[in-house]
């Protein structure tokens, strides 16, 4: 008996989703502007948190990297694009956003390959840019000079500047600077301030500054201060003290209390 049956395969075809269309646009991009438009298309659903803080030049570099690294058959999924984007963002050198990691050697200032010291970061960053100080302990044996206008030193949680010399830890000689998120202390008490401000419109925010404990009696204590200014300070806020807005540092220091184990600095 002969059967003349025919096998019929039914394939259900779905309309492309907005993400599919956005992914196709990314895989069709041939120029940096086209790739940037694809990366920044909200329909693709990428996490652009780190990308968005980059300078325009660095964003162009990232877009070029995604063009160069794109597989021959294109990025197969949004997840693969996200992985490629994260890698490119971590590796790009953005002179508006320089990264520092205590003890790093041979770095270029990118997130993936940071410089090893804060002065290296300050030397590399553009005026108005940010030196991102990654978590770690930074021994301070020579003075940190903040000498570029408008820059921010931004500490991640767990960033400790540990003074180990009889010097002023940080001298600010440029206007419109910000010191944010640092913890500062020393191995022994020194009769020096931790920060000296020598220019206008300095913002010091979310910092913790304290000295190591000293044995009684108090009459033998070494007296030092968190901050001494030569110019007007715009804002002071410390995690171990009070908040001062639109006051001079002299006014602030009249009431400022930076504490260690309940003892005033």
């Amino acid at each position: 008996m002969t059967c003349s049956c025919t096998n019929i395969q039914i394939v259900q075809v779905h309309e492309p989703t907005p993400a599919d269309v956005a992914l196709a646009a990314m895989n069709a991009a041939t120029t940096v502007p086209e790739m940037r438009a694809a990366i920044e298309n909200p329909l693709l659903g990428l996490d652009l948190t780190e990308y968005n803080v980059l300078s325009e030049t660095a964003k162009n570099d990232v877009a070029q990297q995604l063009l160069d690294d794109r597989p021959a058959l294109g990025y197969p999924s949004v997840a693969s694009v996200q992985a490629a984007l994260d890698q490119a963002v971590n590796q790009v050198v953005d002179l508006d956003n320089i990264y520092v990691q205590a003890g790093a050697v041979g770095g270029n200032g990118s997130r993936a390959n940071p410089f090893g010291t804060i002065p290296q970061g300050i030397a590399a960053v553009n005026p108005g840019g940010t030196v991102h100080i990654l978590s770690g302990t930074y021994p301070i044996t020579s003075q940190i000079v903040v000498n570029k206008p408008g820059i921010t030193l931004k500490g991640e949680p767990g960033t400790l500047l540990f003074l180990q010399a009889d010097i002023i830890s940080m001298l600010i000689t440029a206007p419109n600077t910000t010191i944010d998120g640092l913890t500062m202390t020393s191995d022994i008490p020194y009769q020096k301030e931790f920060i000296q401000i020598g220019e206008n419109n300095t913002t010091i925010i979310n910092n913790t500054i304290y000295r190591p404990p000293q044995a009684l009696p108090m009459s033998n204590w070494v007296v030092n201060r968190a901050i001494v200014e030569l110019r007007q300070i715009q804002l002071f806020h410390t995690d171990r003290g009070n908040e001062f807005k639109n006051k001079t540092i002299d006014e602030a220091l009249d009431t400022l209390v930076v504490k260690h184990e309940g003892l005033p600095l």
Side-chain angles (χ1 to χ4, degrees), residues 1-261:
M1 183 175 182
T2 303
C3 177
S4 58
C5 301
T6 302
N7 291 325
I8 300 175
Q9 184 176 9
I10 300 175
V11 178
Q12 187 174 7
V13 179
H14 295 278
E15 290 293 323
T17 67
D20 292 332
V21 174
L23 183 61
M26 168 160 285
N27 286 326
T30 59
T31 66
V32 165
E34 289 174 351
M35 179 57 80
R36 278 196 57 174
I39 291 170
E40 295 166 15
N41 185 348
L43 296 179
L44 195 58
L46 295 175
D47 180 357
L48 301 180
T49 303
E50 300 299 333
Y51 171 86
N52 284 337
V53 304
L54 297 177
S55 65
E56 293 302 305
T57 298
K59 288 178 180 178
N60 289 339
D61 291 342
V62 167
Q64 183 63 59
Q65 193 64 50
L66 263 65
L67 282 169
D68 294 343
D69 293 346
R70 186 171 58 197
L73 297 179
Y75 292 106
S77 64
V78 173
S80 68
V81 175
Q82 185 72 64
L85 176 67
D86 291 344
Q87 181 176 2
V89 168
N90 284 338
Q91 292 179 344
V92 71
V93 177
D94 178 6
L95 295 181
D96 286 346
N97 291 277
I98 292 295
Y99 290 85
V100 173
Q101 175 71 69
V105 177
N108 60 10
S110 66
R111 182 186 289 271
N113 196 18
F115 289 123
T117 70
I118 296 169
Q120 285 179 304
I122 294 172
V125 75
N126 281 335
T130 299
V131 178
H132 300 269
I133 305 172
L134 303 177
S135 177
T137 297
Y138 294 77
I140 306 301
T141 57
S142 59
Q143 188 175 76
I144 297 170
V145 181
V146 182
N147 57 6
K148 288 187 177 177
I151 69 170
T152 295
L153 302 188
K154 174 68 174 175
E156 287 196 348
T159 298
L160 173 65
L161 274 60
F162 191 56
L163 179 63
Q164 297 177 325
D166 189 11
I167 58 173
I168 298 170
S169 303
M170 185 178 295
L171 174 63
I172 299 173
T173 63
N176 306 311
T177 55
T178 299
I179 311 300
D180 183 5
L182 301 179
T183 297
M184 303 178 72
T185 190
S186 58
D187 53 354
I188 62 174
Y190 297 105
Q191 199 165 0
K192 298 284 195 303
E193 60 268 26
F194 283 93
I195 301 175
Q196 186 177 97
I197 301 171
E199 261 299 346
N200 292 322
N201 298 321
T202 298
T203 300
I204 299 181
I205 186 170
N206 301 322
N207 299 283
T208 301
I209 303 173
Y210 65 97
R211 69 182 176 203
Q214 299 190 70
L216 296 173
M218 292 178 62
S219 58
N220 292 335
W221 282 9
V222 174
V223 178
N224 55 356
R225 303 180 79 175
I227 300 170
V228 170
E229 58 84 38
L230 304 176
R231 300 280 181 160
Q232 182 179 2
I233 187 171
Q234 182 179 35
L235 169 67
F236 181 90
H237 175 253
T238 178
D239 293 338
R240 298 190 182 191
N242 300 309
E243 183 172 353
F244 303 93
K245 296 183 179 179
N246 301 320
K247 295 184 177 182
T248 68
I249 190 66
D250 286 334
E251 291 173 320
L253 287 175
D254 286 341
T255 51
L256 170 64
V257 178
V258 184
K259 295 183 178 180
H260 177 69
E261 296 182 349

